[in-house]
Amino acid sequence: MSQTIYDHNEYYDSDGKASRLASILNPLLNFLDKMKAHTFIKKMGLQSGPVLDIGAGDGKFLYHMRSKGMEPYGTSASQISCDAAKRLFDVDLHYTMELPEQITQRQYDAISYWHVFEHLEKPEEHVKQWKAMLKPGAKVMIEVPNVGGLGSKLNFDAWLGSDIKHHINHMTQSEIETMLSKYGLKTDRVEYFSLKFSYVFLWSALLGACFGRKYHFDSVFSLLKDPVNMLRKKPIFTINGLAAVVYMAPVILLLIGYGLLSKQGEVLKMYIEPQ
């Protein structure tokens, strides 16, 4: 497989941990993946058996799934993240951007795409294979940035869900559901909140909306990826951006609540099953 954009240091850091954000945030991210695994098992009604995570990153989610009795399988489009998953969590990932035969030849109790579907050049090539890959009663879950959500509407250029360099197929809920129906699939339910992303997505969008173009995607993401370096280069910019995590909290929490009520939350979390 030729090198992809996900094997360059501009996507994953060269720290050997496949980090996208500052290392100080790693304990928080580990906790969030542990909570994600717990919630996923509960909502999917899982007890044991094979589960597949497409675009598994550094493997933390699958590590926590395995610790709860699941049999983990996964893929990654980055050799950096495959190496980190094996070294840090003893999780073996297939290095691929597709669904290879080694993956599609078995059936799973659950399949997940955590902020991966928007990276796929040909998502339909995945969707058309899901039905055959699911055990009876099993579901696919995809979570993607909600381009119809409040953050996107406030300021798409600053919104951390945009990432136009890597998110190459932003699709609306309606567009995804139309694709699903072509292959005998339907949504069982849709949720609009993410413990990991909803707050930070709205924070980024508000920075852009309140303070203009200097808070575009790359600059806002740099605050999370390398705050020390940004503090040296742009002290006022950095201090304001990080302080906004706190002083914008009342507005962010109100927008999260409104987004959930109006189905304009920051993510689309779609639970998909055969028709």
Side-chain angles (χ1 to χ4, degrees), residues 179-190:
M179 183 187 299
L180 295 175
S181 67
K182 290 175 59 177
Y183 297 101
L185 298 160
K186 64 178 183 179
T187 51
D188 174 50
R189 68 181 185 276
V190 182

Side-chain angles (χ1 to χ4, degrees), residues 170-201:
H170 279 299
M171 298 176 70
T172 65
Q173 180 177 336
S174 175
E175 289 170 335
I176 294 172
E177 289 177 337
T178 297
M179 183 187 299
L180 295 175
S181 67
K182 290 175 59 177
Y183 297 101
L185 298 160
K186 64 178 183 179
T187 51
D188 174 50
R189 68 181 185 276
V190 182
E191 298 169 357
Y192 301 90
F193 174 77
S194 165
L195 186 63
K196 186 175 183 179
F197 291 106
S198 289
Y199 194 98
V200 73
F201 278 10

Side-chain angles (χ1 to χ4, degrees), residues 33-72:
D33 272 348
K34 185 176 182 178
M35 292 296 296
K36 186 167 71 174
H38 173 78
T39 303
F40 185 76
I41 287 171
K42 184 177 180 180
K43 289 188 175 182
M44 290 291 206
L46 302 173
Q47 295 184 6
S48 63
V51 293
L52 173 64
D53 188 31
I54 301 298
D58 64 4
K60 282 199 300 291
F61 172 70
L62 286 176
Y63 166 77
H64 291 300
M65 293 292 285
R66 184 177 61 199
S67 72
K68 296 178 181 296
M70 302 295 113
E71 182 183 350

Side-chain angles (χ1 to χ4, degrees), residues 97-213:
M97 296 183 74
E98 313 298 335
L99 288 177
E101 186 177 349
Q102 304 99 302
I103 291 293
T104 59
Q105 66 186 359
R106 68 173 69 243
Q107 290 187 313
Y108 303 91
D109 290 306
I111 302 173
S112 56
Y113 287 68
W114 297 98
H115 291 264
V116 171
F117 199 71
E118 64 271 23
H119 293 255
L120 300 176
E121 292 182 6
K122 299 178 180 179
E124 198 161 341
E125 294 299 309
H126 285 241
V127 173
K128 69 182 183 183
Q129 300 187 74
W130 286 350
K131 203 170 183 179
M133 295 167 61
L134 292 172
K135 288 184 179 181
K139 294 182 177 68
V140 177
M141 190 286 309
I142 67 171
E143 183 176 295
V144 299
N146 184 10
V147 290
L150 296 177
S152 174
K153 294 174 181 177
L154 278 169
N155 192 302
F156 185 82
D157 290 336
W159 183 56
L160 286 175
S162 61
D163 195 4
I164 58 174
K165 188 184 299 183
H166 303 110
H167 296 175
I168 57 178
N169 72 28
H170 279 299
M171 298 176 70
T172 65
Q173 180 177 336
S174 175
E175 289 170 335
I176 294 172
E177 289 177 337
T178 297
M179 183 187 299
L180 295 175
S181 67
K182 290 175 59 177
Y183 297 101
L185 298 160
K186 64 178 183 179
T187 51
D188 174 50
R189 68 181 185 276
V190 182
E191 298 169 357
Y192 301 90
F193 174 77
S194 165
L195 186 63
K196 186 175 183 179
F197 291 106
S198 289
Y199 194 98
V200 73
F201 278 10
L202 281 167
W203 162 75
S204 63
L206 283 169
L207 282 174
C210 294
F211 300 106
R213 292 186 57 84

